[in-house]
Amino acid sequence: MSDQDTKLNFETMEAGDFKDFAKAMTDYIAEYLENIRDRQVVPSVKPGYLRPLVPEQAPEKAEPWTAVMADIERVVMSGVTHWHSPRFHAYFPTANSYPAIVADMLSGAIACIGFTWIASPACTELEVVMLDWLGQMLGLPESFLARSGGEAGGVIQGTASEATLVALLGAKNRTILRVKEKHPEWTDTEILSKLVGYCNKQAHSSVERAGLLGGVKLRSLQPDGKRRLRGDTLRDAIEEDTRNGLIPFYVVATLGTTSSCAFDALDEIGDVCNEHGVWLHVDAAYAGSAFICPEYRYLMKGVEKADSFNFNPHKWLLVNFDCSALWLKEPRWIIDAFNVDPLYLKHDMQGSAPDYRHWQIPLGRRFRALKLWFVLRLYGVENLQKHIRKHIALAHLFEKLCSADERFEIYEEVTMGLVCFRLNDSNEKNEELLRRINGRGKIHLVPSKIDDTYFLRLAICSRFSEESDIHVSWEEVKASADEVLKGQ
Ligand code: PLP
């Protein structure tokens, strides 16, 4: 084949076929999402289902895009769990909206890697402004925002787990430098062996993992009867460890625990952290989105005492994964901790805008601020508030239906879009209930266990969920309970 043939061939594909493919996919996406309710929420495939459906090797010759399109249902959708179906109630939600999908398309087209300001100035600058917009929407204190004119500001991380680790590394750096001022003779290794952090026993597993990755001790503390970490418990632990020669350096307060959506007593914890000069990080991965509604901000009282605050717009704010917002009052502790500056990444404007590569673990980063920009503009704060309030109202509807059936009990107070409930019966009966519910295949839930009590979690996940869907889900739970209790 001559060069000319190759050129012509690619031209036809790029200019014609592939654009048609993109347009056809756009229609398919809309059809998929608009009719998602009709799909079976969890597929019935077995492990290994996919390999026999595709060839052993990549094709030597290009295939028509229509062949790929034809395989999407057969190969992919047959094995997809439909997280955006109103029948999906597992985990916490993950967000999905057309504005965010379209923004991801544009980000894919620009396809820049925004590790420094000069690598794509719009990528950095839109992120700085979007994190200021978002911070104001939540009612975060100005001391977290770039617009305050100081060093503070926000950054988009991939996940809450990364945010917890990044904050821990900043806290570690700050503490090591402070301790060295007092004890210049101590080595880094000596100091590191004394560092200790704290979190609620109910904190997400990513907190424990951050401790392991950061090479420091983390203590899980016992919460009160409402699953909240309290200030006194933290104070006792810090004082005990200090007496034993350890150096308390980091606390994670969780607003909306994964198991039951409990809220740590942030105000009390903040006082203790400030008294002892300990870095306070707030993990509000799921529930943080609700703070755009002023009526829920009482749950983050004391946030001004924190050093870092994180939540996932990709969970509950209609911004597709990944988009985890982290604000830092003093990003220098992180920037300094991670700063390696090879010549090929230097540029003339260094210092006049953030080089976000210093604020995160990877070097590369996508243009994720576009998703925030499109979503915030095309929904407006008002419609995003409606979305949050609707999900919470739907959770209360399920709570009401469940509470009216004396066979059930509500395990945790419902404050957000999560209902924790169980049969008034043994753990085994509740395990059987969940098996039946998921086995019937109409809805999907996951369980949790706190202090040996097993319960079921029903999260409102889909942006398509309506009251009628909650009635369908309740009927499924009820029918499964009938089967379990009648011993069928
Ligand atoms: N923190 C809390 C409270 C969570 O509920 C979750 C996930 O549900 C996480 C952290 C982890 O989130 P990510 O997957 O963004 O790391």
Side-chain angles (χ1 to χ4, degrees):
M1 198 188 267
S2 71
D3 278 1
Q4 186 61 18
D5 287 343
T6 315
K7 189 162 175 280
L8 283 175
N9 190 14
F10 279 132
E11 259 174 15
T12 329
M13 285 165 65
E14 293 283 349
D17 291 356
F18 289 173
K19 264 201 227 154
D20 291 345
F21 181 34
K23 285 179 188 159
M25 185 56 83
T26 311
D27 288 343
Y28 178 83
I29 288 168
E31 190 277 335
Y32 168 68
L33 286 174
E34 296 307 314
N35 298 300
I36 200 164
R37 187 180 274 102
D38 302 332
R39 294 187 182 252
Q40 183 180 317
V41 61
V42 177
S44 35
V45 292
K46 297 272 179 293
Y49 89 95
L50 193 141
R51 186 178 279 280
L53 300 181
V54 295
E56 270 300 308
Q57 278 147 10
E60 201 56 43
K61 295 242 180 279
E63 296 183 51
W65 65 262
T66 45
V68 175
M69 208 69 205
D71 275 349
I72 288 174
E73 285 295 325
R74 186 179 70 90
V75 178
V76 179
M77 287 300 175
S78 59
V80 164
T81 299
H82 300 287
W83 280 61
H84 301 283
S85 162
R87 312 277 175 259
F88 183 90
H89 297 297
Y91 320 112
F92 274 141
T94 188
N96 187 336
S97 71
Y98 292 124
I101 295 171
V102 172
D104 261 347
M105 284 164 61
L106 179 59
S107 167
I110 296 171
C112 63
I113 308 292
F115 41 65
T116 57
W117 178 85
I118 196 66
S120 206
C123 182
T124 297
E125 296 205 9
L126 191 62
E127 188 161 329
V128 172
V129 179
M130 283 308 101
L131 272 287
D132 270 0
W133 279 20
L134 199 57
Q136 291 172 84
M137 283 167 60
L138 260 62
L140 286 186
E142 285 287 314
S143 52
F144 280 109
L145 307 184
R147 66 185 218 132
S148 67
E151 62 169 307
V155 57
I156 302 177
Q157 303 279 334
T159 60
S161 311
E162 283 166 73
T164 303
L165 175 60
V166 165
L168 177 141
L169 296 175
K172 186 170 133 180
N173 187 34
R174 182 174 86 172
T175 310
I176 290 176
L177 290 175
R178 282 183 182 170
V179 172
K180 276 193 163 169
E181 274 171 21
K182 273 206 209 152
H183 303 281
E185 71 287 6
W186 288 5
T187 63
D188 281 17
T189 320
E190 263 175 296
I191 300 170
L192 266 177
S193 69
K194 295 179 199 289
L195 294 185
V196 55
Y198 308 86
C199 64
N200 187 337
K201 204 174 141 196
Q202 293 302 320
H204 190 263
S205 56
S206 53
V207 180
E208 187 186 343
R209 198 137 177 265
L212 291 173
L213 291 167
V216 290
K217 283 183 271 306
L218 263 190
R219 274 184 70 181
S220 300
L221 303 177
Q222 190 63 37
D224 71 3
K226 290 186 166 174
R227 269 71 67 179
R228 297 177 301 177
L229 176 60
R230 303 297 300 266
D232 285 348
T233 310
L234 177 65
R235 180 177 284 107
D236 289 350
I238 286 180
E239 289 177 1
E240 182 192 352
D241 286 341
T242 308
R243 276 195 305 276
N244 290 331
L246 296 179
I247 306 170
F249 83 108
Y250 185 55
V251 172
V252 177
T254 309
L255 300 183
T257 57
T258 318
S259 272
S260 69
C261 207
F263 289 78
D264 285 346
L266 183 60
D267 206 23
E268 298 174 9
I269 292 173
D271 284 338
V272 179
C273 288
N274 290 177
E275 266 167 46
H276 290 86
V278 171
W279 183 296
L280 173 57
H281 175 70
V282 178
D283 172 6
Y286 162 69
S289 295
F291 302 143
I292 66 165
C293 303
E295 68 270 28
Y296 294 111
R297 290 194 194 144
Y298 73 96
L299 293 164
M300 66 167 191
K301 186 165 181 283
V303 68
E304 69 285 354
K305 298 170 193 168
D307 295 276
S308 47
F309 180 95
N310 168 241
F311 88 105
N312 286 350
H314 73 227
K315 277 191 160 55
W316 203 11
L317 212 59
L318 299 178
V319 181
N320 284 56
F321 189 86
D322 55 345
C323 181
S324 185
L326 171 67
W327 287 269
L328 297 152
K329 276 188 184 160
E330 296 180 332
R332 65 174 177 275
W333 300 114
I334 287 156
I335 295 168
D336 294 348
F338 298 162
N339 198 339
V340 284
D341 225 1
L343 187 59
Y344 50 82
L345 294 175
K346 283 187 194 296
H347 60 92
D348 293 345
M349 304 298 166
Q350 253 169 238
S352 45
D355 280 339
Y356 274 133
R357 69 192 168 96
H358 299 309
W359 297 50
Q360 62 175 20
I361 293 165
L363 172 66
R365 55 200 334 272
R366 295 188 309 120
F367 199 163
R368 290 176 292 208
L370 282 173
K371 290 190 279 202
L372 278 172
W373 198 39
F374 284 17
V375 168
L376 300 186
R377 290 182 68 186
L378 295 174
Y379 281 97
V381 177
E382 201 177 79
N383 282 318
L384 293 169
Q385 288 172 331
K386 277 189 192 153
H387 168 67
I388 298 287
R389 289 179 181 132
K390 182 173 172 187
H391 271 201
I392 296 175
L394 292 176
H396 283 300
L397 170 61
F398 187 87
E399 177 192 20
K400 198 174 113 204
L401 294 167
C402 194
S403 306
D405 186 328
E406 60 193 16
R407 297 173 302 172
F408 288 92
E409 62 184 2
I410 300 294
Y411 177 77
E412 187 76 274
E413 186 187 342
V414 177
T415 39
M416 300 280 130
L418 178 74
V419 188
C420 299
F421 68 101
R422 64 193 306 280
L423 283 169
N424 275 316
D425 212 313
S426 63
N427 281 351
E428 291 70 30
K429 274 275 188 298
N430 278 287
E431 284 169 30
E432 177 58 19
L433 173 66
L434 185 73
R435 260 197 302 278
R436 295 271 173 153
I437 292 172
N438 286 336
R440 287 164 63 98
K442 296 242 174 62
I443 62 173
H444 186 51
L445 271 67
V446 292
S448 192
K449 199 180 211 180
I450 296 182
D451 296 336
D452 285 333
T453 303
Y454 180 100
F455 57 92
L456 283 67
R457 296 168 78 265
L458 182 133
I460 310 295
C461 292
S462 171
R463 112 184 123 78
F464 303 109
S465 287
E466 298 294 342
E467 284 194 4
S468 54
D469 294 304
I470 302 307
H471 285 282
V472 169
S473 297
W474 168 242
E475 287 305 319
E476 273 300 297
V477 171
K478 228 169 47 166
S480 307
D482 289 345
E483 287 178 15
V484 171
L485 295 173
K486 283 185 197 138
Q488 284 173 359

